[in-house]
Amino acid sequence: MLATTRVSRLEELVIDGFGAFVGKKSERLVVKLKGEVIFERPFFDVERVIVATGGATISAAAIHECVRHGIPMEFLSFSGAPYASLVSPNLGGTVRTRREQLLAYEDCRGVELGKAFAVGKLRNSANVLKYFAKYRKGADRRTYDFLYRRVDRIEELVRLVEEIEGSRADEVRGALLNAEGRGAALYWEGVERLVPEFSGREGRGAGDLVNSLLNYGYGILYHRVLSAVTRAGLDPFAGYVHTDRPGKPSLVLDLIEEFRGQVVDRTVLGMLGTGFKVGMDGGMLDEATRKLLAGKVRERLATRIKHRGRRHSLENVIHIQARGVAGFVRDGVIYRPFVGSW
């Protein structure tokens, strides 16, 4: 019902179970179950708190100290859908960043960002298929060829996106969404070939095993991207490709596309490829499966990769990309999408 992951010297706390109490004792974060202390750390040793249950109680003092120490508190439903996040209002950047972010929507900066997000999504989709294809080149040539036919068509879409022209985001959104949609259809065809029990991508509310794993993983990733966008001083609700709707953090949904495949899809497909057995309970992932998946996603986020000539954890790359968006709209520094290796 409780799991922790160490990120450098910091601890990430995940509460997934019923009856936990999260409180403050002196300068320490304490979790109790039936009156017994099951977790206790100084606040400065805690990276984030994830609450993935509706049966936990959190004291106002604990919330206050987490906010004061810059510790995000994130809330997931049993299906992994994010529904709330608490962060300090002091973590945001300058007013100028947000002003420029909003102004960029009406000029060519919004077009360039929209294209970059779409290119990142498509290239990472192709690279995830390449990653799983390379292990089948000798053992299963038919699947290898099937995947690479999809890869080639996705990479053609990248070239089409790069040629899209417009003076503001609204002028190119339709073309970008069309390319992303066509790329997604090709990508999921490849996934179906890799995972025969997968019958197509479904979002929130899906009751099958594979989509439940993906959705839960995306929920974890969502909060990482939201945290990075907020810390970069950006407005999470002012995006460029996803349309503006009440309660819809469109910039988070734009930026997360660069990371879904490399962080979550690779993790889930890798687990399934090694014979991982998914447990379900009432149409949802059971507690043991949620814990194991969350741990695997956090391990993937902690993986160090080469990015911009240096080695960073994937989690840090998310923050680098969010700061890159801020630097582009504010100072004109060229924004390049994250593209993972294969």
Side-chain angles (χ1 to χ4, degrees), residues 294-310:
K296 292 292 186 181
V297 171
R298 292 195 297 273
E299 287 177 14
R300 177 63 180 155
L301 285 164
T303 301
R304 296 181 69 81
I305 63 169
K306 191 172 182 180
H307 181 68
R308 307 286 186 259
R310 299 179 62 183

PDB file of all heavy atoms in Angstrom, residues 294-310:
ATOM      1  N   ALA A 294       3.973   1.257 -11.607  1.00  0.00           N
ATOM      2  CA  ALA A 294       4.461   2.571 -11.172  1.00  0.00           C
ATOM      3  C   ALA A 294       5.969   2.523 -10.925  1.00  0.00           C
ATOM      4  O   ALA A 294       6.706   3.442 -11.303  1.00  0.00           O
ATOM      5  CB  ALA A 294       3.729   3.017  -9.915  1.00  0.00           C
ATOM      6  N   GLY A 295       6.423   1.453 -10.306  1.00  0.00           N
ATOM      7  CA  GLY A 295       7.853   1.307 -10.054  1.00  0.00           C
ATOM      8  C   GLY A 295       8.648   1.225 -11.340  1.00  0.00           C
ATOM      9  O   GLY A 295       9.724   1.823 -11.469  1.00  0.00           O
ATOM     10  N   LYS A 296       8.140   0.484 -12.331  1.00  0.00           N
ATOM     11  CA  LYS A 296       8.834   0.344 -13.607  1.00  0.00           C
ATOM     12  C   LYS A 296       8.879   1.671 -14.365  1.00  0.00           C
ATOM     13  O   LYS A 296       9.895   2.003 -15.002  1.00  0.00           O
ATOM     14  CB  LYS A 296       8.146  -0.717 -14.464  1.00  0.00           C
ATOM     15  CG  LYS A 296       8.253  -2.142 -13.938  1.00  0.00           C
ATOM     16  CD  LYS A 296       9.683  -2.648 -14.006  1.00  0.00           C
ATOM     17  CE  LYS A 296       9.764  -4.118 -13.613  1.00  0.00           C
ATOM     18  NZ  LYS A 296      11.170  -4.620 -13.653  1.00  0.00           N
ATOM     19  N   VAL A 297       7.780   2.440 -14.321  1.00  0.00           N
ATOM     20  CA  VAL A 297       7.769   3.747 -14.983  1.00  0.00           C
ATOM     21  C   VAL A 297       8.766   4.686 -14.309  1.00  0.00           C
ATOM     22  O   VAL A 297       9.506   5.425 -14.974  1.00  0.00           O
ATOM     23  CB  VAL A 297       6.351   4.353 -14.986  1.00  0.00           C
ATOM     24  CG1 VAL A 297       6.375   5.804 -15.476  1.00  0.00           C
ATOM     25  CG2 VAL A 297       5.416   3.524 -15.859  1.00  0.00           C
ATOM     26  N   ARG A 298       8.815   4.649 -12.982  1.00  0.00           N
ATOM     27  CA  ARG A 298       9.776   5.510 -12.278  1.00  0.00           C
ATOM     28  C   ARG A 298      11.212   5.093 -12.589  1.00  0.00           C
ATOM     29  O   ARG A 298      12.097   5.945 -12.709  1.00  0.00           O
ATOM     30  CB  ARG A 298       9.497   5.474 -10.775  1.00  0.00           C
ATOM     31  CG  ARG A 298       8.180   6.123 -10.380  1.00  0.00           C
ATOM     32  CD  ARG A 298       8.123   6.395  -8.891  1.00  0.00           C
ATOM     33  NE  ARG A 298       8.189   5.168  -8.109  1.00  0.00           N
ATOM     34  CZ  ARG A 298       7.141   4.434  -7.781  1.00  0.00           C
ATOM     35  NH1 ARG A 298       5.927   4.803  -8.193  1.00  0.00           N
ATOM     36  NH2 ARG A 298       7.263   3.343  -7.054  1.00  0.00           N
ATOM     37  N   GLU A 299      11.446   3.792 -12.724  1.00  0.00           N
ATOM     38  CA  GLU A 299      12.780   3.329 -13.120  1.00  0.00           C
ATOM     39  C   GLU A 299      13.141   3.865 -14.503  1.00  0.00           C
ATOM     40  O   GLU A 299      14.284   4.280 -14.749  1.00  0.00           O
ATOM     41  CB  GLU A 299      12.831   1.805 -13.134  1.00  0.00           C
ATOM     42  CG  GLU A 299      12.846   1.156 -11.765  1.00  0.00           C
ATOM     43  CD  GLU A 299      12.822  -0.368 -11.860  1.00  0.00           C
ATOM     44  OE1 GLU A 299      13.058  -0.894 -12.980  1.00  0.00           O
ATOM     45  OE2 GLU A 299      12.565  -1.019 -10.832  1.00  0.00           O
ATOM     46  N   ARG A 300      12.184   3.841 -15.414  1.00  0.00           N
ATOM     47  CA  ARG A 300      12.438   4.358 -16.760  1.00  0.00           C
ATOM     48  C   ARG A 300      12.723   5.858 -16.707  1.00  0.00           C
ATOM     49  O   ARG A 300      13.620   6.357 -17.398  1.00  0.00           O
ATOM     50  CB  ARG A 300      11.234   4.059 -17.644  1.00  0.00           C
ATOM     51  CG  ARG A 300      11.327   4.601 -19.072  1.00  0.00           C
ATOM     52  CD  ARG A 300      12.456   3.978 -19.845  1.00  0.00           C
ATOM     53  NE  ARG A 300      12.526   4.521 -21.196  1.00  0.00           N
ATOM     54  CZ  ARG A 300      13.632   4.541 -21.926  1.00  0.00           C
ATOM     55  NH1 ARG A 300      14.763   4.057 -21.453  1.00  0.00           N
ATOM     56  NH2 ARG A 300      13.619   5.051 -23.143  1.00  0.00           N
ATOM     57  N   LEU A 301      11.996   6.593 -15.899  1.00  0.00           N
ATOM     58  CA  LEU A 301      12.229   8.032 -15.770  1.00  0.00           C
ATOM     59  C   LEU A 301      13.609   8.331 -15.198  1.00  0.00           C
ATOM     60  O   LEU A 301      14.206   9.372 -15.492  1.00  0.00           O
ATOM     61  CB  LEU A 301      11.149   8.663 -14.882  1.00  0.00           C
ATOM     62  CG  LEU A 301       9.776   8.831 -15.524  1.00  0.00           C
ATOM     63  CD1 LEU A 301       8.731   9.093 -14.445  1.00  0.00           C
ATOM     64  CD2 LEU A 301       9.787   9.975 -16.536  1.00  0.00           C
ATOM     65  N   ALA A 302      14.111   7.429 -14.382  1.00  0.00           N
ATOM     66  CA  ALA A 302      15.432   7.620 -13.788  1.00  0.00           C
ATOM     67  C   ALA A 302      16.567   7.199 -14.716  1.00  0.00           C
ATOM     68  O   ALA A 302      17.741   7.466 -14.422  1.00  0.00           O
ATOM     69  CB  ALA A 302      15.529   6.845 -12.474  1.00  0.00           C
ATOM     70  N   THR A 303      16.237   6.554 -15.847  1.00  0.00           N
ATOM     71  CA  THR A 303      17.250   6.113 -16.800  1.00  0.00           C
ATOM     72  C   THR A 303      17.994   7.314 -17.375  1.00  0.00           C
ATOM     73  O   THR A 303      17.387   8.304 -17.793  1.00  0.00           O
ATOM     74  CB  THR A 303      16.603   5.324 -17.953  1.00  0.00           C
ATOM     75  OG1 THR A 303      15.917   4.191 -17.424  1.00  0.00           O
ATOM     76  CG2 THR A 303      17.647   4.869 -18.961  1.00  0.00           C
ATOM     77  N   ARG A 304      19.311   7.227 -17.421  1.00  0.00           N
ATOM     78  CA  ARG A 304      20.122   8.320 -17.952  1.00  0.00           C
ATOM     79  C   ARG A 304      20.359   8.096 -19.441  1.00  0.00           C
ATOM     80  O   ARG A 304      20.743   7.009 -19.869  1.00  0.00           O
ATOM     81  CB  ARG A 304      21.446   8.432 -17.193  1.00  0.00           C
ATOM     82  CG  ARG A 304      21.235   8.797 -15.715  1.00  0.00           C
ATOM     83  CD  ARG A 304      22.552   8.926 -14.989  1.00  0.00           C
ATOM     84  NE  ARG A 304      23.312  10.085 -15.427  1.00  0.00           N
ATOM     85  CZ  ARG A 304      23.096  11.331 -14.998  1.00  0.00           C
ATOM     86  NH1 ARG A 304      22.117  11.570 -14.120  1.00  0.00           N
ATOM     87  NH2 ARG A 304      23.839  12.322 -15.430  1.00  0.00           N
ATOM     88  N   ILE A 305      20.118   9.137 -20.213  1.00  0.00           N
ATOM     89  CA  ILE A 305      20.289   9.083 -21.662  1.00  0.00           C
ATOM     90  C   ILE A 305      21.111  10.285 -22.112  1.00  0.00           C
ATOM     91  O   ILE A 305      21.280  11.259 -21.372  1.00  0.00           O
ATOM     92  CB  ILE A 305      18.923   9.098 -22.387  1.00  0.00           C
ATOM     93  CG1 ILE A 305      18.196  10.418 -22.101  1.00  0.00           C
ATOM     94  CG2 ILE A 305      18.068   7.909 -21.987  1.00  0.00           C
ATOM     95  CD1 ILE A 305      16.982  10.650 -22.972  1.00  0.00           C
ATOM     96  N   LYS A 306      21.611  10.221 -23.323  1.00  0.00           N
ATOM     97  CA  LYS A 306      22.338  11.354 -23.877  1.00  0.00           C
ATOM     98  C   LYS A 306      21.356  12.333 -24.495  1.00  0.00           C
ATOM     99  O   LYS A 306      20.523  11.956 -25.328  1.00  0.00           O
ATOM    100  CB  LYS A 306      23.345  10.883 -24.926  1.00  0.00           C
ATOM    101  CG  LYS A 306      24.315  11.975 -25.362  1.00  0.00           C
ATOM    102  CD  LYS A 306      25.419  11.419 -26.247  1.00  0.00           C
ATOM    103  CE  LYS A 306      26.404  12.520 -26.624  1.00  0.00           C
ATOM    104  NZ  LYS A 306      27.506  12.001 -27.494  1.00  0.00           N
ATOM    105  N   HIS A 307      21.438  13.584 -24.071  1.00  0.00           N
ATOM    106  CA  HIS A 307      20.509  14.605 -24.555  1.00  0.00           C
ATOM    107  C   HIS A 307      21.245  15.939 -24.627  1.00  0.00           C
ATOM    108  O   HIS A 307      21.813  16.388 -23.638  1.00  0.00           O
ATOM    109  CB  HIS A 307      19.302  14.716 -23.608  1.00  0.00           C
ATOM    110  CG  HIS A 307      18.280  15.724 -24.038  1.00  0.00           C
ATOM    111  ND1 HIS A 307      17.503  15.555 -25.163  1.00  0.00           N
ATOM    112  CD2 HIS A 307      17.911  16.919 -23.496  1.00  0.00           C
ATOM    113  CE1 HIS A 307      16.687  16.588 -25.294  1.00  0.00           C
ATOM    114  NE2 HIS A 307      16.916  17.422 -24.298  1.00  0.00           N
ATOM    115  N   ARG A 308      21.260  16.515 -25.816  1.00  0.00           N
ATOM    116  CA  ARG A 308      21.965  17.788 -26.026  1.00  0.00           C
ATOM    117  C   ARG A 308      23.436  17.694 -25.627  1.00  0.00           C
ATOM    118  O   ARG A 308      24.004  18.617 -25.053  1.00  0.00           O
ATOM    119  CB  ARG A 308      21.293  18.923 -25.243  1.00  0.00           C
ATOM    120  CG  ARG A 308      19.795  19.081 -25.495  1.00  0.00           C
ATOM    121  CD  ARG A 308      19.532  19.714 -26.862  1.00  0.00           C
ATOM    122  NE  ARG A 308      18.121  19.980 -27.008  1.00  0.00           N
ATOM    123  CZ  ARG A 308      17.280  19.206 -27.701  1.00  0.00           C
ATOM    124  NH1 ARG A 308      17.731  18.113 -28.276  1.00  0.00           N
ATOM    125  NH2 ARG A 308      16.005  19.523 -27.818  1.00  0.00           N
ATOM    126  N   GLY A 309      24.050  16.549 -25.914  1.00  0.00           N
ATOM    127  CA  GLY A 309      25.471  16.389 -25.672  1.00  0.00           C
ATOM    128  C   GLY A 309      25.871  16.005 -24.268  1.00  0.00           C
ATOM    129  O   GLY A 309      27.062  15.829 -23.982  1.00  0.00           O
ATOM    130  N   ARG A 310      24.907  15.864 -23.365  1.00  0.00           N
ATOM    131  CA  ARG A 310      25.204  15.482 -21.989  1.00  0.00           C
ATOM    132  C   ARG A 310      24.255  14.370 -21.562  1.00  0.00           C
ATOM    133  O   ARG A 310      23.233  14.131 -22.196  1.00  0.00           O
ATOM    134  CB  ARG A 310      25.059  16.689 -21.046  1.00  0.00           C
ATOM    135  CG  ARG A 310      25.996  17.839 -21.366  1.00  0.00           C
ATOM    136  CD  ARG A 310      25.798  18.997 -20.415  1.00  0.00           C
ATOM    137  NE  ARG A 310      26.094  18.621 -19.041  1.00  0.00           N
ATOM    138  CZ  ARG A 310      25.947  19.439 -17.999  1.00  0.00           C
ATOM    139  NH1 ARG A 310      25.487  20.668 -18.176  1.00  0.00           N
ATOM    140  NH2 ARG A 310      26.245  19.030 -16.790  1.00  0.00           N
TER     141      ARG A 310
END
